[in-house]
Amino acid sequence: MSETVYSKKEVLDKARELGKLISETEEVDFFKKAEEKINKNLKVQELIGKIKNKQKQAVNLQHYEKREALKQVEQEIDELNKEIDEIPLVQEFKQSQKDVNHLLQLVSTTISNTVTDEIIESTGGDKLRGTTNKSPFIDIKNS
């Protein structure tokens, strides 16, 4: 059995290739288009600007311990967030973020599971039990 050993640099080079491949998927393409629409939408940009201003006010009010005024500003921020979340374009953008994150999680899990399976197999282990080598404590009668 010939085992190839790769350097960390080679693995990272492959990871960059995989990253480039992922960046060219339908999910990422849709995300980029949705983000571009968000950035060009005046209503969305206006609401984002209002939210940022209210957040600055909230930080100042918190600093000066103006609790009642802070509550009011936080409520206004919540209302602005609800308003922005009701815009279909924003909903589309948020869904595209979820789709890209799901793809990245799927890739990460697949890599992790593959590495684990390879370790188990290369040590003569048992994938079903998740052990990396044959345990001397396994019941021979059931084998």
Side-chain angles (χ1 to χ4, degrees):
M1 172 166 79
S2 94
E3 284 191 33
T4 305
V5 177
Y6 295 98
S7 70
K8 188 190 309 185
K9 181 190 180 312
E10 290 170 310
V11 171
L12 291 175
D13 287 345
K14 289 291 184 187
R16 285 187 213 28
E17 281 181 44
L18 181 58
K20 183 167 176 18
L21 192 67
I22 291 169
S23 74
E24 295 171 2
T25 61
E26 289 177 21
E27 291 85 352
V28 172
D29 187 54
F30 189 85
F31 170 80
K32 289 191 282 189
K33 288 176 181 172
E35 183 178 39
E36 186 177 341
K37 289 178 189 174
I38 288 276
N39 289 334
K40 289 181 178 178
N41 187 289
L42 294 177
K43 176 72 174 167
V44 172
Q45 292 306 310
E46 177 186 325
L47 287 169
I48 289 171
K50 286 180 180 179
I51 290 169
K52 286 180 180 179
N53 284 334
K54 293 291 180 186
Q55 288 171 334
K56 287 178 187 175
Q57 283 180 16
V59 168
N60 287 331
L61 292 169
Q62 189 173 20
H63 177 73
Y64 292 110
E65 298 183 9
K66 305 277 187 177
R67 288 180 178 82
E68 287 304 312
L70 177 60
K71 274 185 186 177
Q72 176 62 35
V73 170
E74 287 175 341
Q75 185 177 348
E76 291 171 14
I77 291 170
D78 288 344
E79 289 169 10
L80 287 167
N81 277 320
K82 285 178 190 170
E83 186 178 345
I84 203 169
D85 285 342
E86 290 173 0
I87 298 172
L89 183 61
V90 172
Q91 293 170 357
E92 187 178 281
F93 174 72
K94 286 186 173 189
Q95 183 59 50
S96 73
Q97 283 181 312
K98 287 178 185 175
D99 293 344
V100 170
N101 285 336
H102 181 265
L103 175 62
L104 292 171
Q105 187 61 50
L106 185 62
V107 169
S108 176
T109 300
T110 302
I111 290 170
S112 178
N113 289 344
T114 302
V115 170
T116 299
D117 290 350
E118 289 295 320
I119 290 170
I120 289 170
E121 285 180 19
S122 71
T123 59
D126 183 342
K127 276 200 233 180
L128 292 176
R129 289 194 173 115
T131 56
T132 55
N133 56 27
K134 295 198 181 351
S135 173
F137 303 110
I138 295 175
D139 186 359
I140 296 173
K141 294 177 197 170
N142 292 332
S143 296

